[in-house]
Amino acid sequence: MMTTSARFRFILATLLCLVATSLTVCLSGAGAVDGAAEGGEAPALVVVGGDRSYPPYEFLDREDKPSGYNVELTRAVARVMGLKVEIRLGAWSERRKDLLNGDVDILEGMSFSDERAQSIDFSPPHTIVHHSIFARKGGNRHLTLADLRGKEVLVLNDGIMQEFLAAKKVGAKIVPVPTHADVLRALASGKHDYAVMAKLPGLYLIRELGLANLEAVGDPVSAQQYCFAVKKGNAALLARFNEGLAILKKTGEYQRIYNKWLGVLEPPGLTWSEVFKYGAIVVLPLILLVGGTVLWSRTLQREVAARTAELTREVEERRHAEEELRNRQQQLVQADKMAALGILVSGVAHEINNPNGLILLNLPVMMEAFRDAEPILEEHFERHGDFEFGGLPYSRMREVLPKLMGQMQDGSRRVKLIVEDLKDFARQQEPGKSAELDLNETVQAALRLLANLIEKSTDNFTVSLGEGIPKLQGSAQRIEQVVVNLLVNACQALPAPERGIELATWFDGAENSVILEVRDQGTGIAPEHLQHLTDPFFTTKRESGGTGLGLSVSSGIAKEHGGGLTFTSEQGAGTTARLTLPVPQPKEQQS
């Protein structure tokens, strides 16, 4: 773990680096890539290293090609900075040695630690990775680090958890293995007691490898800052990647990449105890009902003439019992769906709150530190004249830096408000919480968010917003989410930029509804898949990082607003998605 002084130094360096790169982008514009490219010279090759078995961050896909969040982020940075990169994924321990030996120029994902910082320089973190304890099912589901004492614990060789457990002195026998897949296979086969690794890659590999006897237990034991990393002293290359990362965050492309690979955590499946419990509730009454029917049948065979009236009564009771059983089954299914939704929303909110909490906690400290240091800096300025501060003249930085920190704090508070909205969505909402919204304004907000993606995906994008569309009642933020999902799917469906996308809104007076349609000229959807598009976790883009939740969530939002989401498609010709939302009646008509 980082000491207080080391953490303060790292945060201060990160803040100054972000401020410098942000100001550079603002002053020179995002179009300035690198000097070599402008002069006509080909950019030098940058060799980028990474872990071959760390999905969804970085991994080799079924064609042995690099894929994942880190890979896509690295290529995006290289594109905006005019760099030529070669990505080499292999065993993590070997890639760490390659970096120190000079065979690799930069690692696209590495957790920060004081020990590593002695030989390696780090960028500002581009995400936070949470690590958990993994165990075989059937044991204690609320383990902590203290429970690892005296146990054999599997970790990645030369990974951050090997250093973390050693520093914590938990008293466990550490068993390092080459890859995360090897960690989980060894644990699933019954070897050793537990494993400690990144939670999201662990859940991803459990699903992909079919290791149904494993699960993550307890709360996350560590949250690590995940950065680009270079060999100590290679400041020039690190600065290029820092600037590229800042550009991606300003243009919104970083958020798109993050949402694609890391934006949603799938909820955990049912445990065996829950399966047996629900099975007993459903099966036991059914067994009792069938057994009673057999007994009654044998009795009726002996007393048909004398008990005809009683037989009629028993048949009627049986019918009522079967109807009650079906009703209870439907209630159980609905309750299970709502529980899964609550787990999903709580998990997402928790993962967002952790890094955002760090920002909200540390920014006031940084602002106070700057205010305390300002009189000293001013005195030095008055005595010795202007000087460089964070890569810019102090006379300029003293005015800009407080504004930048204030904007960062405002943005972090906005993230917190969005997370609170997400938690509210998981709870039962009280009537009267909705507000008036303009569908056209909501569409325009979504278009601004996706401008970069649309520009890269198609050369033929048209928008037709109807005039005089009535105002709706509901959540503009959630309707915007639906529009974003529909546009992202349309962009991903296009095989070439020559194919087009059309977006249109209008008012249907006959149905008293507002309509939004997104039509693409993409590859279309197979007829057998069309009816499953809004099923949770159904996706035809699993290989490219799809989670199967976008259209499911969108359909739920449409129903929540009293409307619907429908699809029509023709293979090879494209797909049309239609969102229908009812116009609320005036209060005098409702009364």
Side-chain angles (χ1 to χ4, degrees), residues 287-333:
I287 293 176
L288 293 175
L289 183 62
V290 173
T293 303
V294 172
L295 292 175
W296 275 111
S297 178
R298 291 179 179 177
T299 303
L300 289 174
Q301 288 176 2
R302 296 191 297 265
E303 302 176 12
V304 172
R307 302 184 62 182
T308 303
E310 188 175 354
L311 175 62
T312 303
R313 181 177 58 84
E314 292 295 337
V315 171
E316 186 66 19
E317 290 181 356
R318 177 183 175 182
R319 185 178 66 82
H320 285 301
E322 289 177 344
E323 289 179 357
E324 183 67 17
L325 179 60
R326 283 194 295 268
N327 290 336
R328 290 184 180 181
Q329 287 175 320
Q330 293 175 356
Q331 291 172 0
L332 286 173
V333 171

Side-chain angles (χ1 to χ4, degrees), residues 356-403:
N356 194 55
L358 291 175
I359 297 174
L360 285 174
L361 180 64
N362 292 332
L363 266 177
V365 177
M366 297 303 304
M367 296 171 71
E368 185 66 26
F370 177 74
R371 284 193 291 268
D372 290 344
E374 193 170 12
I376 301 174
L377 296 172
E378 287 291 334
E379 181 180 353
H380 183 81
F381 174 70
E382 292 175 0
R383 290 185 176 182
H384 304 285
D386 209 351
F387 59 95
E388 188 174 291
F389 184 68
L392 291 175
Y394 172 74
S395 59
R396 187 172 185 182
M397 181 66 79
R398 65 180 178 180
E399 298 177 359
V400 175
L401 185 58
K403 295 179 182 179

